[in-house]
Amino acid sequence: MPYRAPVADFRFLMDHIVGFSDVAATDTFSEATPDMVDAILTEAAKMSEEVLAPLQRNGDLHPATLENGVVRTSPGFGDGYKAIAEGGWIGMSASPENGGMGLPMTLTTAVNEMMSAACLSLQLNPLMSQGQIEALEHHASDEIKETYLPKLISGEWCGTMNLTEPQAGSDVGALRTKAEPNGDGSYAITGQKIYISWADNDFTENVCHLVLARLPEAVAGTKGISLFMVPKLIPDADGNPGERNDLRVVSLEHKLGLHGSPTAVMEYSGAKGWMVGPENGGMAAMFTMMNNARLGVGVQGIGAADGAYQHALGYAMDRKQGKAPGTGAIIEHADVRRMLAGMKADIFAARAIALMNAVAIDMATATGDASWKARAAFLTPICKAFGTDTGIAVASTGVQIHGGMGFVEETGAAQYSRDVRVTAIYEGTNGIQAMDLVARKMMDGGEIAQSLIEEIQDGAEAAKATHGDMATAVWNAAESLRETTEWLAAQKDLTQRFAGAVAYLRAFARVLGGHAHLQAAMSGDEARGKLATFYINRLLPEHAGLLAEVRTGADNLMSITNDELAA
């Protein structure tokens, strides 16, 4: 079944669920009229369906390779990237001052999902550039902006993020890469970085690396880290790629999936770099890029889920097996239909959360209102973790629907499962997202969480007249979430919070999904109403067990000794 971009779903969510009309009503995004939105979504869908989707299997069957220090990419990826760049899709939300479109992040989020569903391994390249563009817009000097932003936005150059080292994974503060002043405003960067996505390619003129490193005499930990722009080719006086910098791809990782996306070990041997942001301010600058990427990675999970769902749906509609009623295809079996409905319902919920997140970012950008910024920050870990967990679960279910053929590589079902698995790991593991949610994002005592819960309950109250049972179920779920949020915020020992963090994040996502489905049912669309009934009756109840887990605290977990775990 060929990939079909879910343009109607995006349009529906923007019109009925996530409040995109508020974004379009601002002066900043006044050009995002319904006609423009339709044109953007339609053109991105066409590119994703016709150009990117045919490359999906190429990346898996013909992985990127390293030949004499040069990365050779999968067949057709160069043409696919060219279509992305020439369409202006990389710089959709970038500032028009540097060649961007200045469009809402909500639209970029929709387009990124379509590209992820079509060919996740290629889409990861422009996603990295988008994050770098935002980091430079917020933190770089005017000189660096003028040199790099137009090229990154046009796609002539692409960007990467270099954080991880062999001894410094999630503990970024343990990094050892050094940055020594050259005396001319530049720095000599020396060290090794690992797991660098799209560290090199054979289709862009230059690759621009944002590298975290430590200045001489810098304090230990994250407070002593600075950020540097370290290009593969050093721009000359005219801003064109010049001499080769002293950096290299040492090797490419042999990965479970995403074979078309080269993941490299990078070696910097006194490579020339320029500081981005202030001395020892590297983490603040890098977090700008990482937060952009966390929304983007959540959307990658949703895109992979949609690709896997459509693949499984096509198989289920064609495959004849057993004594099924109707067409005789396996889609007529109750259990297969249960799996497909669960996949579709969770994709809708995750997509709604991602667009809620993007709308909050847009409203913060347009209004400068701190409450919108806080809302976006709160939703980001939920979007990242639930979006990628949904991708993994849906892709796994897709294999199950294929039966034995799902375990056979020729069907392509397993690729979705292998490709999406890493999304729960990179840009901060999902466990770290959950810990961030219950700690940093609750430094306000749970105020933002409670405001979201109040909106959910207000929506449920409004729905009770026409959708009584479903509305009551959503209201009650939100009330349980409110009570648990109060309990969680009252815990001063963070270990008590962390023990139930993953369960709390998933419960919050479940309730947000119930809210989105209830609002969809309120639209009067019969098919969406049926899917909402399925979600609220079958999937939403999961929240109760999750919240019970949260409130058990940490004692029964931490009392289990290391020796007992190893016994």
Side-chain angles (χ1 to χ4, degrees):
M1 183 177 184
Y3 171 65
R4 178 176 54 83
V7 172
D9 263 16
F10 289 125
R11 186 76 261 185
F12 178 85
L13 283 161
M14 290 180 193
D15 289 344
H16 297 282
I17 310 296
V18 301
F20 184 72
S21 59
D22 292 338
V23 175
T26 65
D27 291 339
T28 304
F29 299 118
S30 59
E31 293 185 2
T33 63
D35 286 346
M36 173 179 276
V37 170
D38 284 338
I40 291 287
L41 295 177
T42 300
E43 286 303 309
K46 181 178 179 182
M47 178 195 64
S48 298
E49 293 168 354
E50 297 179 4
V51 179
L52 301 186
L55 303 177
Q56 167 83 345
R57 291 296 282 159
N58 283 359
D60 197 50
L61 299 175
H62 307 286
T65 58
L66 183 64
E67 298 177 2
N68 299 318
V70 177
V71 170
R72 303 297 183 191
T73 57
S74 303
F77 272 36
D79 290 336
Y81 180 84
K82 183 178 179 181
I84 295 169
E86 291 184 349
W89 304 115
I90 299 172
M92 286 181 65
S93 293
S95 170
E97 293 179 12
N98 300 298
M101 294 187 188
L103 291 171
M105 180 58 69
T106 308
L107 284 178
T108 296
T109 298
V111 172
N112 281 347
E113 190 204 304
M114 288 188 261
M115 292 196 294
S116 298
C119 186
L120 182 57
S121 57
L122 179 56
Q123 186 272 340
L124 182 54
N125 182 299
L127 179 67
M128 292 291 96
S129 292
Q130 287 172 353
Q132 188 173 113
I133 289 165
E134 184 168 2
L136 295 181
E137 285 183 337
H138 283 85
H139 301 285
S141 66
D142 289 342
E143 183 178 1
I144 288 178
K145 289 179 183 178
E146 291 169 5
T147 300
Y148 290 91
L149 282 175
K151 301 287 190 179
L152 288 164
I153 289 168
S154 70
E156 295 170 76
W157 299 356
C158 68
T160 75
M161 181 191 318
N162 285 234
L163 290 80
T164 308
E165 299 180 8
Q167 79 293 339
S170 298
D171 182 12
V172 179
L175 68 81
R176 298 172 185 161
T177 297
K178 299 184 298 182
E180 299 179 294
N182 288 324
D184 60 358
S186 69
Y187 295 80
I189 310 299
T190 301
Q192 186 180 87
K193 298 289 184 178
I194 62 173
Y195 302 148
I196 309 306
S197 297
W198 280 101
D200 197 17
N201 66 74
D202 53 6
F203 49 67
T204 63
E205 294 179 354
N206 206 356
V207 182
C208 309
H209 303 284
L210 279 183
V211 183
L212 287 179
R214 199 179 299 280
L215 293 167
E217 310 303 325
V219 299
T222 56
K223 293 182 179 179
I225 295 174
S226 301
L227 182 64
F228 301 87
M229 169 60 76
V230 189
K232 173 184 172 181
L233 302 175
I234 299 172
D236 61 21
D238 297 320
N240 297 313
E243 64 178 288
R244 174 88 187 207
N245 211 346
D246 202 352
L247 57 87
R248 63 197 54 79
V249 176
V250 175
S251 62
L252 298 183
E253 303 293 355
H254 299 280
K255 301 177 296 183
L256 175 68
L258 284 185
H259 295 152
S261 169
T263 300
V265 174
M266 292 292 296
E267 188 73 36
Y268 295 87
S269 306
K272 186 170 285 190
W274 288 263
M275 190 177 293
V276 176
E279 288 189 9
N280 303 320
M283 288 306 295
M286 185 58 82
F287 264 115
T288 299
M289 183 172 185
M290 288 183 69
N291 283 331
N292 178 296
R294 283 171 175 172
L295 169 59
V297 170
V299 168
Q300 285 185 327
I302 301 163
D306 196 33
Y309 169 72
Q310 293 190 30
H311 201 72
L313 177 65
Y315 183 82
M317 293 176 73
D318 290 339
R319 173 68 168 164
K320 303 292 195 297
Q321 188 76 22
K323 296 181 179 179
T327 64
I330 63 172
I331 195 172
E332 307 291 354
H333 290 292
D335 189 56
V336 173
R337 190 164 296 233
R338 174 192 62 81
M339 288 188 280
L340 289 167
M343 295 161 85
K344 187 176 181 68
D346 261 350
I347 290 168
F348 182 85
R351 183 176 288 145
I353 293 169
L355 294 182
M356 290 176 197
N357 192 353
V359 164
I361 292 171
D362 288 331
M363 292 302 292
T365 299
T367 67
D369 189 328
S371 65
W372 280 113
K373 184 176 180 181
R375 182 189 183 103
F378 187 87
L379 287 171
T380 295
I382 299 175
C383 170
K384 195 276 184 183
F386 187 67
T388 56
D389 282 346
T390 296
I392 292 167
V394 167
S396 178
T397 302
V399 173
Q400 188 72 16
I401 287 173
H402 280 77
M405 293 305 295
F407 206 65
V408 175
E409 288 289 354
E410 282 78 1
T411 63
Q415 182 185 344
Y416 290 103
S417 188
R418 290 185 288 101
D419 283 356
V420 76
R421 185 62 186 83
V422 72
T423 61
I425 298 171
Y426 60 26
E427 304 312 331
T429 67
N430 287 0
I432 287 175
Q433 303 303 316
M435 293 164 68
D436 175 55
L437 181 69
V438 302
R440 187 188 304 269
K441 301 302 165 55
M442 282 196 179
M443 290 174 67
D444 62 357
E447 183 178 337
I448 290 296
Q450 295 292 10
S451 69
L452 280 165
I453 292 168
E454 185 177 347
E455 288 181 26
I456 294 168
Q457 290 188 313
D458 287 347
E461 286 286 357
K464 282 182 178 179
T466 54
H467 295 75
D469 289 344
M470 286 199 295
T472 297
V474 172
W475 194 96
N476 288 339
E479 181 65 11
S480 296
L481 183 61
R482 182 188 65 76
E483 293 170 354
T484 302
T485 300
E486 290 176 352
W487 179 89
L488 203 59
Q491 305 306 305
K492 303 308 179 186
D493 179 357
L494 287 182
T495 300
Q496 296 294 332
R497 298 191 193 187
F498 291 160
V502 168
Y504 178 76
L505 185 151
R506 185 167 181 84
F508 214 117
R510 270 279 166 253
V511 177
L512 282 169
H515 169 67
H517 274 287
L518 180 60
Q519 297 307 304
M522 289 281 287
S523 73
D525 185 302
E526 183 179 359
R528 296 185 189 279
K530 290 179 180 180
L531 195 65
T533 301
F534 176 92
Y535 182 96
I536 291 170
N537 283 302
R538 288 175 174 262
L539 303 183
L540 178 62
E542 181 190 5
H543 83 279
L546 292 166
L547 294 178
E549 179 185 349
V550 174
R551 297 183 70 161
T552 62
D555 294 347
N556 60 357
L557 172 65
M558 303 309 291
S559 66
I560 304 171
T561 67
N562 295 352
D563 288 342
E564 287 167 344
L565 287 172

